[in-house]
Amino acid sequence: MATAHLPGENAQARTDAQPDLPWWRGAAIYQIYPRSFMDSNGDGVGDLPGITSRLDHVASLGVDAIWVSPFFTSPMNDFGYDVSDYCDVDPLFGTIEDFDAMVARAHELGLKVLIDQVYSHTSDEHEWFEESRASRDNPKSDWYVWADPKPDGSPPSNWQSVFGGPAWTWDARRQQYYLHNFLSSQPQVNGHNVAVQEALLSAMQFWLDRGVDGFRIDALNFLMHDPELRDNPPAPASDKPRTRPFDFQLRVHNQSHPDIPDFVARIRALTDRYDAVFTVAEVGGDEAEAEMKAFTAGADHLNSAYGFNFLYADKLTPGLVCGALAQWPDEDGIGWPSWAFENHDAPRALSRWCAPEHREAFARMKIALLASLRGNIILWQGEELGLTQVDIPFDQLHDPEAIANWPLTLSRDGARTPMPWQADCPSAGFGSREPWLPHGEENIARAVDLQDEDDASLLAFTRDILALRNRTPALHHGSVADCTADGALLDMTREADGTQIRCLFNLSPEPLTISASGKVLLAVNGATPDALPGYAALLLETDT
């Protein structure tokens, strides 16, 4: 019989691991996609009451916080990332009272609550845009990015949207184009406008007053554009396939404006008025590292930035890991990183990084590696179960990017499939007979109830490795004393309070011979101080 895991039982261990640090430094965060977590009313879509009903499971993992993807009022053209009301809950997901109940239950379990904020664009159904597009002289006429056509009627610049096609759409009411870096139904706000900034900060304060503990800020580097609307230059030749016009440009003018950090400082000034609020930026693109540093520099910007180093990597290599960690040295003025191997936009890591026959071993090594990284770590829902990417047929796709670029863009839907809670129940215990996406038979076999009863399961292992991280300062928040890539061998040393933890990982299926010494804290997949079988890991404690 499996060992019982009481909700919130790891909260004290987490506190003891870092008594003098803010709660978020070294935190493990669990990302929840509301549509796919738990359905409380049988309509096929997950919701806030469903999340509340399953928070015991999340707390049992030993994580510090949940990050809840958008649940705001929205026409759902981009599944909530097209917001039509920043300060309300979409009826699909429940009510504002349901949100309050979720926050209260999370806090009872010792979990902090982070929510998304989408500031670079709104839905075209937002009242701000409806007013802005009505005329060129209304009070919100410059709350979005409007521009006249070129003399030949073509768009004002050559900028391309992420989801394919020009980033400009003609609006007959204003006889102008408006900018949208994503869908045409997601018009770009004019982040340079101080009144827009005030409105966005007001929306943030609304949720702070409801008790949230932090924010993940979506697509922050798209918030401001080049007011001169200069054309983007072409991107240099690359061996990577280009499936969208967006890939053919260096996006130096439609995003990443140097004034964005000034607005970030305004966010920090607001959140500092609330106790221990955590902010993390999503930053992708060609200049991600520089922007992440700018957004997190010093004590007057965001607390952390969300690295993309691993999310779209085709392979997990020692060089990739050491290179990512080297970007964030333990030095004054350098921000604090956050890492994820998969999320709602990126394919499941097990499907990207190893052959099917190695997934069981690889999944354990992967979780041990994630827990050994310096920074915050983010688990995507179902990662603790070893869920894999589901192949969604074209006629069942919902993802607008995948539909537009079919079949060359891998569907994000394949990573957003519903959580399998009970293997023998209809829809795997998700709560509805016909969920909005299929589970995938392979993932139903990894359901929570099956793994919860098995001390040898990946779920049990995930709880154990997070507990080890929580009680070990060197792993939780220590520095990286060394990181070496030697073929398939990753040799990393974490250090804190006079203790070193040497972390050895074999990132290949072939065995490696090693020579190591120290107290064994963790041996994964048959690892010993003399040998690392395929996808094995070994953590050793040594004195400095």
Side-chain angles (χ1 to χ4, degrees):
M1 190 68 177
T3 303
H5 295 275
L6 301 177
E9 68 177 355
N10 291 315
Q12 187 61 48
R14 296 197 296 271
T15 301
D16 291 344
Q18 37 117 19
D20 299 322
L21 296 174
W23 69 264
W24 51 263
R25 196 170 180 91
I29 301 166
Y30 187 90
Q31 183 191 356
I32 293 175
Y33 195 68
R35 297 181 70 92
S36 301
F37 198 63
M38 180 68 195
D39 179 10
S40 72
N41 60 8
D43 66 355
V45 176
D47 45 46
L48 296 181
I51 294 173
T52 304
S53 72
R54 294 293 190 179
L55 285 178
D56 285 12
H57 166 74
V58 180
S60 77
L61 299 175
V63 298
D64 300 273
I66 58 172
W67 152 27
V68 185
S69 293
F71 50 82
F72 314 107
T73 308
S74 167
M76 300 295 166
N77 291 320
D78 192 24
F79 299 98
Y81 286 92
D82 50 326
V83 179
S84 58
D85 187 343
Y86 283 110
C87 299
D88 204 356
V89 174
D90 193 279
L92 186 68
F93 299 125
T95 65
I96 196 71
E97 291 77 19
D98 292 328
F99 176 82
D100 292 341
M102 182 192 71
V103 172
R105 179 57 179 156
H107 287 168
E108 287 175 3
L109 294 169
L111 295 169
K112 304 290 187 181
V113 178
L114 316 178
I115 63 173
D116 263 306
Q117 296 285 269
V118 187
Y119 289 160
S120 66
H121 54 265
T122 71
S123 165
D124 60 357
E125 296 184 16
H126 198 293
E127 61 179 15
W128 298 349
F129 187 70
E130 291 177 349
E131 182 175 350
S132 185
R133 79 189 316 181
S135 69
R136 297 193 187 193
D137 58 2
N138 67 79
K140 292 185 173 61
S141 61
D142 61 349
W143 278 40
Y144 293 82
V145 183
W146 295 95
D148 293 327
K150 291 180 178 179
D152 63 359
S154 60
S157 72
N158 70 346
W159 301 348
Q160 299 293 310
S161 73
V162 173
F163 290 163
W168 296 96
T169 289
W170 177 255
D171 187 273
R173 276 158 282 202
R174 285 187 50 140
Q175 297 289 293
Q176 287 183 307
Y177 283 94
Y178 67 86
L179 177 66
H180 53 87
N181 283 301
F182 297 91
L183 297 174
S184 61
S185 58
Q186 293 172 297
Q188 181 73 27
V189 303
N190 180 9
H192 296 285
N193 187 321
V194 175
V196 171
Q197 295 183 20
E198 293 288 350
L200 295 174
L201 293 171
S202 177
M204 177 173 277
Q205 185 166 356
F206 174 86
W207 296 106
L208 287 167
D209 289 338
R210 301 201 84 88
V212 303
D213 303 289
F215 303 96
R216 175 221 182 236
I217 304 175
D218 182 74
L220 181 57
N221 55 342
F222 282 96
L223 181 64
M224 297 180 188
H225 65 293
D226 171 23
E228 296 181 29
L229 307 182
R230 288 170 288 185
D231 282 351
N232 282 331
S238 170
D239 58 358
K240 292 184 177 180
R242 292 170 170 173
T243 62
R244 308 163 297 178
F246 181 80
D247 300 324
F248 286 82
Q249 296 182 355
L250 295 177
R251 280 87 64 179
V252 295
H253 295 307
N254 63 316
Q255 64 182 75
S256 310
H257 193 276
D259 287 349
I260 296 176
D262 293 337
F263 176 65
V264 168
R266 299 194 68 192
I267 292 175
R268 181 61 181 268
L270 171 61
T271 58
D272 276 353
R273 290 160 43 190
Y274 294 78
D275 184 40
V277 169
F278 170 66
T279 50
V280 56
E282 179 203 36
V283 184
D286 299 329
E287 302 298 325
E289 180 186 349
E291 290 181 284
M292 290 164 69
K293 298 282 181 62
F295 294 167
T296 59
D300 57 354
H301 289 88
L302 303 183
N303 302 117
S304 187
Y306 187 62
F308 275 49
N309 305 66
F310 302 105
L311 288 174
Y312 299 103
D314 294 331
K315 296 179 180 179
L316 178 64
T317 66
L320 175 65
V321 177
C322 291
L325 294 176
Q327 294 174 0
W328 297 92
D330 189 7
E331 298 174 0
D332 290 342
I334 300 293
W336 183 254
S338 292
W339 306 110
F341 288 165
E342 52 191 68
N343 71 2
H344 64 292
D345 282 336
R348 291 281 184 181
L350 287 181
S351 299
R352 277 184 287 136
W353 286 345
C354 73
E357 62 268 25
H358 298 306
R359 283 176 180 165
E360 183 176 350
F362 189 95
R364 294 169 188 269
M365 183 276 295
K366 175 178 72 72
I367 288 290
L369 174 56
L370 182 63
S372 300
L373 298 180
R374 176 183 179 269
N376 297 330
I377 59 172
I378 303 172
L379 282 79
W380 168 229
Q381 64 182 42
E383 191 169 359
E384 75 277 19
L385 305 176
L387 299 191
T388 55
Q389 188 81 2
V390 177
D391 185 13
I392 307 295
F394 181 79
D395 62 355
Q396 295 184 48
L397 283 179
H398 294 264
D399 175 14
E401 181 180 12
I403 293 171
N405 296 297
W406 177 267
L408 296 179
T409 297
L410 185 63
S411 166
R412 296 177 297 174
D413 291 337
R416 298 175 175 180
T417 54
M419 276 284 285
W421 295 102
Q422 296 168 281
D424 293 333
C425 289
S427 74
F430 178 64
S432 46
R433 289 192 171 274
E434 296 186 11
W436 74 290
L437 285 173
H439 281 85
E441 289 301 318
E442 186 176 282
N443 285 338
I444 292 177
R446 300 185 175 95
V448 172
D449 68 328
L450 298 181
Q451 298 199 37
D452 214 19
E453 295 296 315
D454 182 4
D455 280 333
S457 68
L458 179 63
L459 174 58
F461 179 79
T462 301
R463 289 169 173 150
D464 290 343
I465 190 64
L466 290 179
L468 175 63
R469 175 183 168 93
N470 288 336
R471 66 175 180 263
T472 309
L475 295 176
H476 184 270
H477 55 265
S479 63
V480 178
D482 182 64
C483 191
T484 302
D486 181 8
L489 177 64
L490 172 63
D491 188 346
M492 174 175 58
T493 300
R494 301 289 310 280
E495 180 178 298
D497 303 334
T499 298
Q500 287 189 337
I501 309 296
R502 189 178 181 192
C503 308
L504 297 155
F505 298 90
N506 181 358
L507 302 190
S508 81
E510 303 303 322
L512 295 174
T513 300
I514 60 172
S515 178
S517 61
K519 176 184 176 182
V520 176
L521 297 182
L522 179 73
V524 181
N525 297 331
T528 71
D530 301 314
L532 293 178
Y535 298 126
L538 185 68
L539 272 60
L540 301 165
E541 180 179 336
T542 60
D543 293 331
T544 56

